[in-house]
Amino acid sequence: MGHAYSYRCDHCGYSENFNQGHGFLVHSQSLNAYLKQPVKIFHYKTRNLLQALANEKNDLFLKAGFQIYKCPKCKTLHDKIEVTVFDGDKIVHKSEFRCPACRSRLKLTNIHRLKKAICPKCKKRTFHRAYSSALLWD
């Protein structure tokens, strides 16, 4: 189950939806179960890394879900599929993301408290959450 958050720019009218949570395709499971699926949902580099980890160790667990990140420099929002691989309680791999504009490392944001951000189109600080269009998805 996940949430979709809609943001709209008051200046230029640009709007975008951001997803957070787990769904039918993006969810936690054993790494071997993910690799056996016919549908591959992660970036090819992530998939190659997961395959290499599975070749090294057999009983790994994959935790995956949509998360919303914010660039600390540009102040723009990005939703990404965060992938964490566990060997028991130990983290073996965790996704890290960079801003496509400035290459700064993206930081996980608390979308529930975030009122506004920088619009990715016009670059003004008028990108506000549209509370009237909250959505749950699965």
Side-chain angles (χ1 to χ4, degrees):
M1 177 73 94
H3 297 274
Y5 299 92
S6 183
Y7 275 72
R8 186 174 194 288
C9 179
D10 293 338
H11 181 258
C12 70
Y14 176 79
S15 63
E16 189 172 348
N17 291 322
F18 298 94
N19 298 315
Q20 185 176 41
H22 305 278
F24 179 71
L25 291 176
V26 178
H27 63 278
S28 299
Q29 59 190 310
S30 76
L31 182 54
N32 287 332
Y34 165 73
L35 292 171
K36 289 177 185 174
Q37 290 179 352
V39 177
K40 305 305 177 206
I41 53 176
F42 303 137
H43 188 274
Y44 77 93
K45 288 183 180 179
T46 301
R47 179 161 170 33
N48 290 345
L49 177 86
L50 295 176
Q51 185 66 59
L53 288 172
N55 291 341
E56 291 175 17
K57 181 89 166 126
N58 196 22
D59 296 330
L60 298 175
F61 187 77
L62 175 90
K63 181 181 175 195
F66 287 96
Q67 294 291 349
I68 303 169
Y69 293 83
K70 186 176 179 183
C71 176
K73 185 175 177 187
C74 300
K75 309 293 186 210
T76 53
L77 299 176
H78 306 270
D79 64 349
K80 302 285 187 181
I81 298 175
E82 182 182 76
V83 176
T84 308
V85 179
F86 292 91
D87 182 4
D89 291 337
K90 181 182 169 192
I91 295 176
V92 178
H93 167 76
K94 185 170 177 141
S95 301
E96 289 186 6
F97 304 102
R98 296 209 172 263
C99 177
C102 71
R103 304 301 300 154
S104 293
R105 189 170 161 209
L106 297 177
K107 303 287 184 188
L108 192 61
T109 187
N110 186 348
I111 195 72
H112 305 294
R113 292 184 174 199
L114 188 66
K115 303 260 191 281
K116 57 186 167 180
I118 299 294
C119 175
K121 186 174 180 183
C122 71
K123 308 297 184 216
K124 303 246 186 243
R125 191 172 160 80
T126 53
F127 203 47
H128 298 277
R129 187 168 162 193
Y131 287 95
S132 60
S133 59
L135 177 71
L136 293 173
W137 54 268
D138 188 23

